[in-house]
Amino acid sequence: MSGPSAPDIAQRLAGLSPAKRELLEQKLRARRGGSMRDAEIPRVEGRTSAPLSFPQQRLWFLDQLERGSASFNVASAVRFRGPLRVDALERAVGEIVRRHAALRTRFPEVDGAPVQVIDEPGGFSFVIEDFEGIPGPARDREAARRVQEEAKTPFDLATGPVFRAGVLRVRADEHVFYCTLHHIVSDGWSRTILFRELAALYDASVEGQEAALPALPIQYADYAEWQREWLRSGQMEPQLDYWRAELDGELPVLDLPADHPRPSVANLRGAQQGFEIPAAVATRLKAFCREEGITLFMASLAAFAAFLQRYTGQDDIVVGSLTANRSRVETEGLIGIFINAVPLRPDLSGDPTFRQLVQRAKESAVGAFAHQDLPFERLVEALHPDRDPGRPPVYQTMLNVDTGEVRTLRLAGLASEDLLVPVDTAMLDLTLYLRDRPERLSASLEYNADLFEPETAGRMVQSFQTLLAGALASPDARLSEIEILPEEERRRILVDWNRTQRPYPNDRCIHEIFEDEARKNPRRVAIRDEGGDVEYRELNARANRLARYLTRQGVERGCLVGVCLERSARTMTALLAILKAGAAYVPLDPRYPSERIAFMIRDSGATVVLTEDGSVLPELPESVREVRLDAIGAGLETEDAADFPSGATARDLAYLIYTSGSTGLPKAVVAEHRASVYRFS
């Protein structure tokens, strides 16, 4: 959940001259009617307690719901090769904990409410573990396992600590440094500060010097108390008015097609799929941003919103984003959680072109970031959205664009390599991360693993890439005209899934194909009814016995036999027996009026009719013989169960069936074996 190192829009602000920047600040203050940047944050020396900031309060509440969970751990690991001075690194970590009171803060409940309690420096434990005694490749596996175990070990906010760090000695010249913080005291910017100060302190210690780190003007607890005072002052009302207008009415709920039903209570189980934006697309994207006078974030917001609209069919979509929220000089060097969430609601109505949508996204982003000071938690309180424990409020997807420096820990005299610590949590249904680096534009899609399978997330990645490339190639095309399916997926849906042709043995009879299946899969269940399961071999044997009996009753090749039975395994036995005898069947529904049944028997020319007990039949002509299966059931056991060769061919009649007769008398439709067979599988 850690955010970008700075909002994308901040890069454009940094390029303004001091005079233009001050003019812009004046205009924004006038629009906001009061900003957090206008009031000084007082420092309180020796502070031991403070209220929670708004983002801390939200994370504390979520942690209470997920007791014993590591969902809010922020973990990093770095491999060092070379002569690491572990003692110097331990001293550097200890000094970081002394400098930043947030790292020695715990969050107990006092009088039923959580508070920040700041402990004295000196109680931090730096863990050193030696893996050199483990033989061969097992050493690396055990070190990797230990890093994963550390990242997944939960924190106890009430007792602390909320920061852990240590070193694994893998070989004499190879070490792994790890650190894990609870999100309640950290964000993405904090990681940069932590690594920067660690490097400065370590390098100075190795050289026997004091690190020239500037004194911190305030501590995080000072900011938390000041934030609440600012909110109580009433200066937030103009910002709150903006958000009420922007999010007016019933908030849309994004309904992404998922692989699984949404759990009644979200458990934050997630995964990520990383990918690269192709170099040609990334180059075109940046050129397009320059042409349109927009930031990378604005163009990405338009593309992501278009992707979500095509996936859901919804024109009203709210996308969240994170701001670094470090607009004051006092907060720039602090470790702590400052990020704030802002909802963005670009207008997708009317099937706009991509170029039009980009300008709408620009308007939405400029307004949102101009009113980013209001804590998202306070906004949710004011909006009172419908709460669903299985779905995040206000928005269910997020976009984060990181244009900041690469946060790698580099120590003097050592080669360093960031180790991947897999993310297995997801706060939202989908979060798209874009990372703009000089040499590439990389990305990842974080998804709720309770809703989506990895294959589905992979298809989403491909669809987003396809849409982005298509939108940049034809920015004046309407969203509905931009292709979203990759060529392979498009071919699968439009061609492969519609290739329904199947070879079938049209030179054979229905019952012959059934006999093949009975030989191949004799124990497979063929029929299931109220009487239980009937396997293929048993059904085939029953049909063979009945076929032999019917031939002695005058049924032969070319005859028509009426079947007046309720649906059951016995009905299927009768149909197969008739076909095996070389005859064709005429289905007669026992629920039909007796006049209709009598008409169908006369019209078809049936010479035999099979019934259960004869109770539903009208009076039959003398030329028609009734065979009551109830009466002959026991006698069939003496018949031969081997397959019965009738001599029928695929051109023989298999059945005769009647139309409904809704426009007159029912009409007979005949079908040969060759028109009815298909390949059993």
Side-chain angles (χ1 to χ4, degrees), residues 524-662:
R524 181 183 291 179
V525 173
I527 293 289
R528 177 171 291 142
D529 68 0
E530 294 180 355
D533 294 346
V534 182
E535 297 174 349
Y536 271 92
R537 63 177 182 177
E538 177 59 25
L539 180 59
N540 191 47
R542 292 180 187 180
N544 287 330
R545 294 188 185 103
L546 181 56
R548 285 184 166 83
Y549 176 84
L550 292 177
T551 58
R552 291 201 300 276
Q553 308 306 311
V555 175
E556 58 186 11
R557 183 179 177 186
C559 287
L560 287 163
V561 179
V563 181
C564 192
L565 301 170
E566 296 288 349
R567 291 186 179 183
S568 67
R570 177 175 278 186
T571 306
M572 185 56 67
T573 301
L575 299 181
L576 284 169
I578 294 168
L579 297 176
K580 284 171 176 284
Y585 62 85
V586 182
L588 305 170
D589 193 327
R591 289 179 290 270
Y592 281 169
S594 59
E595 294 82 3
R596 179 181 172 94
I597 294 176
F599 168 79
M600 293 164 68
I601 292 173
R602 291 194 308 271
D603 188 69
S604 66
T607 56
V608 176
V609 177
L610 303 186
T611 67
E612 293 284 354
D613 55 15
S615 60
V616 298
L617 281 184
E619 185 175 347
L620 295 175
E622 292 184 2
S623 60
V624 178
R625 181 172 182 179
E626 179 186 0
V627 175
R628 299 184 180 184
L629 298 182
D630 279 355
I632 65 170
L636 292 178
E637 295 301 321
T638 62
E639 299 286 351
D640 186 357
D643 285 340
F644 183 77
S646 65
T649 71
R651 292 183 175 275
D652 280 280
L653 191 64
Y655 61 85
L656 183 149
I657 192 168
Y658 279 84
T659 63
S660 65
S662 57

Side-chain angles (χ1 to χ4, degrees), residues 430-507:
L430 290 179
T431 299
L432 177 64
Y433 294 96
L434 291 175
R435 302 171 187 88
D436 185 20
R437 300 293 180 254
E439 68 282 3
R440 70 187 193 279
L441 181 59
S442 63
S444 63
L445 184 70
E446 181 181 279
Y447 60 93
N448 184 328
D450 283 330
L451 298 179
F452 306 107
E453 291 293 328
E455 296 78 12
T456 300
R459 286 195 294 271
M460 288 182 176
V461 166
Q462 293 177 340
S463 294
F464 174 76
Q465 298 244 56
T466 301
L467 184 142
L468 177 61
L472 293 171
S474 304
D476 293 312
R478 298 198 175 274
L479 298 185
S480 61
E481 299 169 345
I482 299 174
E483 185 57 66
I484 191 172
L485 292 177
E487 182 57 35
E488 182 180 349
E489 184 78 2
R490 182 180 177 84
R491 185 174 60 252
R492 180 184 299 113
I493 293 174
L494 298 182
V495 179
D496 294 349
W497 288 356
N498 285 297
R499 190 180 290 122
T500 57
Q501 304 95 324
R502 289 290 184 272
Y504 63 93
N506 57 0
D507 60 341

Side-chain angles (χ1 to χ4, degrees), residues 270-436:
Q272 279 194 357
Q273 289 210 10
F275 60 100
E276 295 285 328
I277 304 296
V281 177
T283 300
R284 175 61 189 135
L285 175 59
K286 293 177 181 180
F288 179 76
C289 290
R290 292 191 295 271
E291 294 165 7
E292 296 295 314
I294 59 173
T295 65
L296 178 61
F297 178 87
M298 295 169 183
S300 302
L301 174 61
F304 190 45
F307 161 80
L308 294 173
Q309 188 234 35
R310 293 292 299 276
Y311 249 75
T312 64
Q314 297 174 233
D315 288 341
D316 191 4
I317 292 172
V318 179
V319 176
S321 188
L322 296 178
T323 66
N325 200 27
R326 302 228 186 193
S327 55
R328 301 185 58 95
V329 67
E330 302 102 311
T331 63
E332 288 182 357
L334 290 183
I335 291 177
I337 180 168
F338 291 89
I339 57 171
N340 191 32
V342 292
L344 301 127
R345 199 175 188 177
D347 183 7
L348 288 150
S349 64
D351 194 18
T353 66
F354 183 69
R355 197 186 304 275
Q356 290 171 336
L357 179 58
V358 161
Q359 294 304 317
R360 296 179 187 183
K362 175 181 179 179
E363 181 180 351
S364 177
V366 168
F369 290 126
H371 298 84
Q372 64 178 285
D373 294 336
L374 182 70
F376 179 72
E377 297 74 19
R378 182 66 187 86
L379 174 60
V380 174
E381 289 178 13
L383 293 177
H384 296 296
D386 293 335
R387 302 305 293 264
D388 177 351
R391 196 186 301 268
V394 183
Y395 55 80
Q396 293 80 51
T397 62
M398 179 173 282
L399 169 68
N400 285 317
V401 178
D402 183 356
T403 58
E405 62 181 295
V406 179
R407 299 178 289 269
T408 301
L409 178 56
R410 302 191 184 279
L411 304 181
L414 302 170
S416 61
E417 173 194 2
D418 280 338
L419 298 181
L420 178 64
V421 182
V423 175
D424 59 2
T425 60
M427 302 299 296
L428 303 169
D429 293 356
L430 290 179
T431 299
L432 177 64
Y433 294 96
L434 291 175
R435 302 171 187 88
D436 185 20

Side-chain angles (χ1 to χ4, degrees), residues 49-64:
S49 65
L52 274 63
S53 68
F54 273 88
Q56 282 184 327
Q57 181 176 296
R58 175 167 54 92
L59 281 163
W60 181 89
F61 177 73
L62 292 173
D63 186 85
Q64 302 305 297

Side-chain angles (χ1 to χ4, degrees), residues 32-69:
R32 287 194 293 262
S35 167
M36 296 177 73
R37 305 167 197 173
D38 300 334
E40 181 182 352
I41 302 177
R43 178 187 180 102
V44 176
E45 294 291 344
R47 184 193 292 273
T48 60
S49 65
L52 274 63
S53 68
F54 273 88
Q56 282 184 327
Q57 181 176 296
R58 175 167 54 92
L59 281 163
W60 181 89
F61 177 73
L62 292 173
D63 186 85
Q64 302 305 297
L65 294 178
E66 291 274 320
R67 291 260 189 189
S69 168

Side-chain angles (χ1 to χ4, degrees), residues 76-80 175-178 195 409 416-419:
S76 301
V78 183
R79 186 194 311 277
F80 293 111
H175 297 75
V176 172
F177 168 73
Y178 66 82
F195 281 8
L409 178 56
S416 61
E417 173 194 2
D418 280 338
L419 298 181

